[in-house]
Short mmCIF file of all heavy atoms in Angstrom, two decimals:
data_model
loop_
_atom_site.label_atom_id
_atom_site.label_comp_id
_atom_site.label_asym_id
_atom_site.label_seq_id
_atom_site.Cartn_x
_atom_site.Cartn_y
_atom_site.Cartn_z
N ILE J 108 -1.95 14.39 -31.26
CA ILE J 108 -2.06 15.79 -30.82
C ILE J 108 -1.77 15.76 -29.32
O ILE J 108 -2.44 15.03 -28.57
CB ILE J 108 -3.45 16.40 -31.14
CG1 ILE J 108 -3.64 17.75 -30.41
CG2 ILE J 108 -4.60 15.47 -30.79
CD1 ILE J 108 -2.95 18.89 -31.04
N VAL J 116 -7.02 19.05 -25.13
CA VAL J 116 -7.40 18.43 -26.41
C VAL J 116 -8.92 18.53 -26.59
O VAL J 116 -9.42 18.78 -27.69
CB VAL J 116 -6.89 16.98 -26.51
CG1 VAL J 116 -7.24 16.39 -27.87
CG2 VAL J 116 -5.38 16.91 -26.28
N LEU J 209 -16.03 10.65 -33.44
CA LEU J 209 -16.18 9.94 -32.16
C LEU J 209 -14.94 10.23 -31.32
O LEU J 209 -13.81 9.98 -31.75
CB LEU J 209 -16.29 8.43 -32.40
CG LEU J 209 -16.19 7.56 -31.13
CD1 LEU J 209 -17.33 7.84 -30.15
CD2 LEU J 209 -16.17 6.07 -31.49
N VAL J 210 -15.17 10.76 -30.12
CA VAL J 210 -14.05 10.99 -29.19
C VAL J 210 -14.18 9.96 -28.08
O VAL J 210 -15.14 9.97 -27.32
CB VAL J 210 -14.10 12.42 -28.60
CG1 VAL J 210 -12.84 12.67 -27.77
CG2 VAL J 210 -14.24 13.46 -29.70
N LEU J 211 -13.22 9.06 -28.04
CA LEU J 211 -13.23 8.02 -27.00
C LEU J 211 -12.24 8.45 -25.93
O LEU J 211 -11.03 8.44 -26.16
CB LEU J 211 -12.84 6.67 -27.62
CG LEU J 211 -12.78 5.51 -26.62
CD1 LEU J 211 -14.15 5.23 -26.00
CD2 LEU J 211 -12.25 4.25 -27.30
N ASP J 212 -12.78 8.86 -24.79
CA ASP J 212 -11.91 9.35 -23.71
C ASP J 212 -11.48 8.16 -22.86
O ASP J 212 -12.30 7.55 -22.16
CB ASP J 212 -12.68 10.38 -22.87
CG ASP J 212 -11.79 11.05 -21.84
OD1 ASP J 212 -10.69 10.52 -21.56
OD2 ASP J 212 -12.21 12.10 -21.31
N GLU J 213 -10.20 7.86 -22.93
CA GLU J 213 -9.65 6.69 -22.24
C GLU J 213 -8.67 7.11 -21.15
O GLU J 213 -7.62 6.49 -20.97
CB GLU J 213 -8.97 5.77 -23.23
CG GLU J 213 -9.90 5.26 -24.32
CD GLU J 213 -9.31 4.09 -25.07
OE1 GLU J 213 -8.31 4.29 -25.77
OE2 GLU J 213 -9.85 2.98 -24.94
N PRO J 223 -10.85 -1.19 -25.83
CA PRO J 223 -10.97 -1.44 -27.28
C PRO J 223 -9.75 -0.94 -28.04
O PRO J 223 -9.16 0.06 -27.65
CB PRO J 223 -12.22 -0.64 -27.66
CG PRO J 223 -12.37 0.40 -26.60
CD PRO J 223 -11.79 -0.19 -25.34
N ASP J 224 -9.40 -1.62 -29.10
CA ASP J 224 -8.32 -1.16 -29.96
C ASP J 224 -8.96 -0.47 -31.16
O ASP J 224 -9.50 -1.14 -32.06
CB ASP J 224 -7.46 -2.35 -30.41
CG ASP J 224 -6.29 -1.90 -31.27
OD1 ASP J 224 -6.20 -0.69 -31.57
OD2 ASP J 224 -5.48 -2.76 -31.66
N MET J 225 -8.91 0.85 -31.16
CA MET J 225 -9.59 1.62 -32.22
C MET J 225 -8.70 1.81 -33.45
O MET J 225 -9.13 2.38 -34.45
CB MET J 225 -10.00 3.00 -31.67
CG MET J 225 -10.81 2.99 -30.39
SD MET J 225 -12.28 1.95 -30.47
CE MET J 225 -13.41 2.99 -31.38
N ARG J 226 -7.46 1.36 -33.37
CA ARG J 226 -6.51 1.67 -34.45
C ARG J 226 -6.93 1.12 -35.82
O ARG J 226 -6.81 1.85 -36.81
CB ARG J 226 -5.10 1.21 -34.07
CG ARG J 226 -4.52 2.07 -32.95
CD ARG J 226 -3.25 1.50 -32.41
NE ARG J 226 -3.48 0.22 -31.76
CZ ARG J 226 -2.55 -0.52 -31.21
NH1 ARG J 226 -1.30 -0.12 -31.25
NH2 ARG J 226 -2.84 -1.66 -30.61
N ILE J 229 -9.39 3.55 -37.14
CA ILE J 229 -8.73 4.83 -37.45
C ILE J 229 -7.98 4.69 -38.78
O ILE J 229 -8.12 5.54 -39.67
CB ILE J 229 -7.76 5.22 -36.32
CG1 ILE J 229 -8.55 5.63 -35.07
CG2 ILE J 229 -6.81 6.35 -36.77
CD1 ILE J 229 -7.69 5.84 -33.82
N ILE J 235 -12.18 9.16 -35.64
CA ILE J 235 -12.12 8.76 -34.23
C ILE J 235 -10.90 9.43 -33.61
O ILE J 235 -9.83 9.45 -34.21
CB ILE J 235 -11.95 7.23 -34.09
CG1 ILE J 235 -13.16 6.51 -34.69
CG2 ILE J 235 -11.75 6.82 -32.63
CD1 ILE J 235 -12.99 5.00 -34.82
N LEU J 236 -11.09 10.00 -32.42
CA LEU J 236 -9.94 10.48 -31.66
C LEU J 236 -9.97 9.80 -30.29
O LEU J 236 -10.98 9.88 -29.58
CB LEU J 236 -9.99 12.01 -31.47
CG LEU J 236 -8.69 12.59 -30.89
CD1 LEU J 236 -7.59 12.62 -31.96
CD2 LEU J 236 -8.90 14.00 -30.35
N CYS J 237 -8.89 9.09 -29.96
CA CYS J 237 -8.80 8.47 -28.64
C CYS J 237 -7.98 9.38 -27.75
O CYS J 237 -6.91 9.85 -28.14
CB CYS J 237 -8.10 7.12 -28.74
SG CYS J 237 -9.03 5.93 -29.70
N LEU J 238 -8.50 9.66 -26.56
CA LEU J 238 -7.80 10.55 -25.63
C LEU J 238 -7.13 9.75 -24.53
O LEU J 238 -7.74 8.84 -23.94
CB LEU J 238 -8.79 11.53 -24.98
CG LEU J 238 -9.53 12.49 -25.88
CD1 LEU J 238 -10.43 13.40 -25.04
CD2 LEU J 238 -8.54 13.33 -26.69
N ARG J 239 -5.90 10.12 -24.25
CA ARG J 239 -5.15 9.49 -23.14
C ARG J 239 -4.51 10.59 -22.31
O ARG J 239 -4.33 11.71 -22.79
CB ARG J 239 -4.05 8.58 -23.70
CG ARG J 239 -4.58 7.39 -24.46
CD ARG J 239 -4.75 6.22 -23.50
NE ARG J 239 -5.39 5.09 -24.14
CZ ARG J 239 -5.24 3.83 -23.73
NH1 ARG J 239 -4.46 3.55 -22.72
NH2 ARG J 239 -5.89 2.85 -24.30
N TYR J 254 -2.86 13.46 -24.47
CA TYR J 254 -2.80 13.45 -25.92
C TYR J 254 -4.00 12.74 -26.53
O TYR J 254 -4.75 12.04 -25.84
CB TYR J 254 -1.49 12.80 -26.41
CG TYR J 254 -1.32 11.34 -26.04
CD1 TYR J 254 -1.67 10.33 -26.94
CD2 TYR J 254 -0.83 10.96 -24.80
CE1 TYR J 254 -1.51 8.99 -26.61
CE2 TYR J 254 -0.68 9.63 -24.46
CZ TYR J 254 -1.02 8.64 -25.36
OH TYR J 254 -0.88 7.32 -25.02
N GLY J 255 -4.14 12.97 -27.82
CA GLY J 255 -5.13 12.24 -28.58
C GLY J 255 -4.44 11.58 -29.75
O GLY J 255 -3.43 12.08 -30.23
N TYR J 256 -4.98 10.45 -30.22
CA TYR J 256 -4.49 9.89 -31.48
C TYR J 256 -5.67 9.56 -32.38
O TYR J 256 -6.76 9.20 -31.92
CB TYR J 256 -3.56 8.69 -31.28
CG TYR J 256 -4.16 7.48 -30.61
CD1 TYR J 256 -4.83 6.51 -31.37
CD2 TYR J 256 -4.04 7.27 -29.24
CE1 TYR J 256 -5.36 5.38 -30.76
CE2 TYR J 256 -4.57 6.16 -28.64
CZ TYR J 256 -5.24 5.22 -29.40
OH TYR J 256 -5.77 4.11 -28.79
N GLY J 257 -5.42 9.76 -33.66
CA GLY J 257 -6.47 9.54 -34.66
C GLY J 257 -5.84 9.64 -36.03
O GLY J 257 -4.64 9.42 -36.19
N LEU J 261 -7.17 14.58 -38.94
CA LEU J 261 -7.82 15.08 -37.73
C LEU J 261 -6.78 15.76 -36.81
O LEU J 261 -7.01 16.86 -36.30
CB LEU J 261 -8.52 13.91 -37.01
CG LEU J 261 -9.22 14.17 -35.69
CD1 LEU J 261 -10.19 15.33 -35.80
CD2 LEU J 261 -9.97 12.91 -35.23
#
Side-chain angles (χ1 to χ4, degrees):
I108 168 78
V116 183
L209 169 63
V210 186
L211 179 63
D212 187 344
E213 300 195 293
D224 182 356
M225 307 307 281
R226 290 171 295 179
I229 289 171
I235 297 170
L236 190 75
C237 296
L238 297 182
R239 294 269 174 155
Y254 63 96
Y256 63 86
L261 178 52

